[in-house]
């Protein structure tokens, strides 16, 4: 239970799309150029960083430009503040669902669980999406990564007296994943079992170099027609909602100057967060290409 508690203490790390999170080679943080925007609306300025949700020591400090703009900000804005709410109550409400496992998943789980009997026994009574999350987190640990060193956790720990504002909420994210069809949840579990370090390495490389076109290509290659529900709910629908929230905050004269961090995949594609922000009158400047 301790492992499950730690996992869901940082539950929202999955919602940024966990596939962004592996790396097996070392980079210097100053060589990183994750997608980073300056936002302008009605005379107000904010900054938007595409993040990853687990990390390790060599991610930090972040590049000087990002650290500088973060230090100048007056408020930190993230997808959801996991320090708020009763996580275990949310697990009981949204994460327990006994459903029959299909034959393909049984076969994959059987092979996966042979050397991990204790883990599989601990998660077997949980909904498939929760089992998928646990497996992803265990793999992160095996690769030397953990949620405590993710970008948002770093920003939370170094924010000083900056207030924390949410674009969503932890309960919203629990509700979202619990709303997926049973078939999609089992697919999430199978994908978590079958994913390879090479696939995730390519995603991390694209994130760290700010290759949004490459990141989008990798996402499109990963997702097929059967994944429309997943992409619509996890990315497109949330991008629209987060854009509306950001615009509302920027339009409020009482909102302090914001530094915003969201999962990197929210920032790519035709239905991305930047696209929705632009449609709502926000001017966006890519900070690695123009003066910020």
């Amino acid at each position: 239970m301790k492992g499950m508690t730690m996992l869901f203490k940082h539950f929202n790390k999955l919602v940024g799309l966990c596939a962004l999170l592996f790396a097996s080679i070392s980079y210097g943080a100053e060589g990183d150029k994750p997608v980073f925007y300056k936002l302008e609306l009605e005379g107000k300025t904010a900054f938007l960083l595409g993040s990853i949700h687990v990390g390790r020591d060599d991610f930090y400090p972040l590049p000087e430009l990002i650290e500088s703009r973060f230090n100048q900000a007056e408020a930190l804005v993230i997808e959801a503040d996991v320090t708020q709410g009763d996580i275990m109550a949310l697990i009981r409400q949204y994460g327990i669902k006994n459903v029959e496992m299909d034959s393909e998943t049984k076969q994959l789980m059987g092979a996966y669980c042979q050397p991990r009997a204790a883990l599989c026994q601990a998660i077997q009574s949980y909904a498939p999406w929760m089992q998928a999350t646990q497996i992803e987190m265990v793999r992160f640990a095996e690769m030397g990564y953990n949620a405590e060193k993710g970008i948002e956790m770093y920003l939370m720990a170094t924010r000083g007296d900056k207030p924390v504002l949410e674009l969503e909420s932890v309960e919203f994210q629990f509700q979202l994943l619990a709303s997926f069809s049973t078939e999609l949840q089992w697919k999430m579990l199978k994908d978590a079992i079958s994913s390879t370090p090479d696939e995730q390495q390519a995603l991390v490389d694209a994130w760290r170099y700010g290759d949004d076109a490459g990141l989008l290509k990798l996402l499109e290659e990963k997702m097929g027609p059967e994944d429309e529900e997943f992409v619509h709910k996890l990315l497109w629908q949330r991008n629209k909602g987060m854009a509306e929230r950001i615009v509302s905050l920027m339009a409020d004269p009482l909102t302090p100057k914001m530094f915003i961090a969201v999962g990197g995949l929210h920032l790519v594609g035709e239905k991305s967060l930047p696209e929705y922000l632009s449609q709502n009158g926000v001017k966006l400047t890519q900070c690695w290409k123009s003066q910020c």
Side-chain angles (χ1 to χ4, degrees):
M1 182 58 71
K2 180 179 179 181
M4 293 299 292
T5 301
M6 285 301 297
L7 165 66
F8 290 101
K9 179 180 178 183
H10 307 291
F11 167 77
N12 71 315
K13 307 306 178 266
L14 174 68
V15 181
L17 199 57
C18 294
L20 280 173
L21 307 179
F22 285 157
S24 60
I25 59 178
S26 178
Y27 298 77
E30 282 299 327
D32 294 348
K33 289 189 176 181
V35 180
F36 189 47
Y37 285 99
K38 178 182 179 180
L39 312 181
E40 296 175 274
L41 178 69
E42 299 177 0
K44 297 193 70 172
T45 300
F47 288 89
L48 173 62
L49 173 65
S51 70
I52 56 176
H53 302 305
V54 299
R56 63 187 184 190
D57 290 338
D58 70 341
F59 281 20
Y60 307 107
L62 295 168
E64 183 178 357
L65 175 63
I66 296 175
E67 291 280 359
S68 174
R69 299 303 178 263
F70 177 55
N71 290 335
Q72 293 168 10
E74 300 168 341
L76 171 62
V77 183
I78 56 178
E79 294 173 28
D81 184 354
V82 297
T83 67
Q84 304 298 313
D86 187 339
I87 301 300
M88 295 310 297
L90 293 174
I91 292 173
R92 291 191 293 270
Q93 182 174 358
Y94 297 108
I96 298 176
K97 182 179 181 181
N98 292 314
V99 291
E100 182 65 26
M101 188 179 293
D102 62 83
S103 58
E104 181 182 359
T105 308
K106 282 183 179 179
Q107 183 176 1
L108 287 172
M109 281 293 285
Y112 176 82
C113 290
Q114 282 184 358
R116 304 174 180 88
L119 167 63
C120 292
Q121 183 176 3
I123 67 175
Q124 64 182 353
S125 64
Y126 289 89
W129 65 262
M130 283 186 63
Q131 295 186 44
T133 309
Q134 177 67 61
I135 288 171
E136 291 284 2
M137 295 300 288
V138 168
R139 185 178 292 115
F140 299 157
E142 291 172 349
M143 299 286 290
Y145 289 81
N146 64 75
E148 294 287 351
K149 295 180 181 177
I151 299 297
E152 286 89 345
M153 297 302 290
Y154 171 79
L155 296 173
M156 289 279 285
T158 59
R159 75 183 191 279
D161 59 358
K162 293 179 177 65
V164 177
L165 306 177
E166 294 181 296
L167 297 178
E168 300 173 330
S169 70
V170 178
E171 182 166 10
F172 168 83
Q173 295 179 349
F174 270 85
Q175 290 172 333
L176 173 66
L177 289 180
S179 75
F180 287 160
S181 66
T182 300
E183 293 76 16
L184 178 55
Q185 291 190 41
W186 285 127
K187 185 178 187 304
M188 290 171 65
L189 180 56
K190 288 183 282 191
D191 286 348
I193 295 169
S194 303
S195 61
T196 68
D198 287 346
E199 292 172 337
Q200 288 141 343
Q201 179 64 62
L203 284 163
V204 168
D205 289 346
W207 174 81
R208 298 194 81 158
Y209 291 125
D211 182 8
D212 49 356
L215 194 58
L216 178 61
K217 181 180 178 181
L218 289 165
L219 175 63
E220 291 173 341
E221 289 174 350
K222 182 74 172 175
M223 298 300 174
E226 71 277 9
D227 298 303
E228 183 175 352
E229 178 189 0
F230 180 85
V231 177
H232 176 77
K233 286 187 174 182
L234 197 62
L235 290 176
W236 297 341
Q237 184 174 292
R238 293 178 63 223
N239 290 342
K240 185 176 182 180
M242 287 192 287
E244 291 171 352
R245 170 69 170 154
I246 291 171
V247 169
S248 176
L249 287 169
M250 292 188 73
D252 185 343
L254 298 180
T255 302
K257 186 176 181 180
M258 299 183 296
F259 186 100
I260 306 161
V262 301
L265 281 174
H266 290 291
L267 306 187
V268 300
E270 292 183 359
K271 298 180 181 180
S272 66
L273 178 55
E275 179 63 25
Y276 283 122
L277 287 170
S278 181
Q279 292 174 12
N280 282 275
V282 178
K283 177 184 176 182
L284 295 99
T285 301
Q286 295 188 22
C287 289
W288 303 118
K289 297 180 181 180
S290 301
Q291 184 69 32
C292 279

